[in-house]
Amino acid sequence: MLETEFKFGEVYKLTDQIEDGADRVHFKNIFSNNNGGVSLLAFKKGQKLDTHTAPAEVMVTVLEGSIEFTMLDKPHTLMAGQFLLMGEAVPHSVVAKTDSKVMLTKLKA
């Protein structure tokens, strides 16, 4: 079953759906089901996510700002408009180089 607070057929501005917070990285689910989903993350400059894995294949798309995305100990700098693909269960971490907004598209095999 699809989980979302958004209405089908409505138009939304993606970057307006999440605000950053000085206290922590903010997450917001756009939609999800048993096969994956789409989430937004908002970072203030310097905020990070320590090394972890994801239970799905992921497309990381930077909507605003710039992040350093380290995957398998190799850092990648991603800026607004750029994306990176990552396989399931790959160790990775993120550090915001500037205030940033990121969209995660997750697909489970």
Side-chain angles (χ1 to χ4, degrees):
M1 172 175 235
L2 187 68
E3 294 180 29
T4 185
E5 66 182 64
F6 299 95
K7 295 180 182 176
F8 283 73
E10 296 288 325
V11 176
Y12 302 92
K13 184 173 180 186
L14 195 56
T15 54
D16 287 351
Q17 302 312 308
I18 189 166
E19 296 297 323
D20 52 24
D23 57 332
R24 60 181 170 78
V25 177
H26 283 209
F27 290 83
K28 183 170 185 175
N29 187 47
I30 298 296
F31 71 86
S32 64
N33 65 17
N34 291 337
N35 297 315
V38 173
S39 299
L40 299 177
L41 288 78
F43 297 83
K44 291 295 274 180
K45 180 180 179 179
Q47 287 180 330
K48 63 182 180 173
L49 296 175
D50 291 327
T51 301
H52 62 285
T53 61
E57 294 175 333
V58 179
M59 179 175 167
V60 179
T61 306
V62 177
L63 304 172
E64 291 181 354
S66 175
I67 63 169
E68 183 174 276
F69 190 94
T70 301
M71 179 173 61
L72 298 172
D73 297 323
K74 181 178 178 186
H76 303 273
T77 299
L78 293 135
M79 299 187 311
Q82 296 181 318
F83 73 91
L84 174 137
L85 299 176
M86 181 185 68
E88 180 180 357
V90 173
H92 61 282
S93 62
V94 182
V95 176
K97 302 307 242 175
T98 65
D99 291 357
S100 303
K101 293 182 180 179
V102 175
M103 179 174 65
L104 300 180
T105 306
K106 303 165 278 190
L107 298 172
K108 296 181 183 179

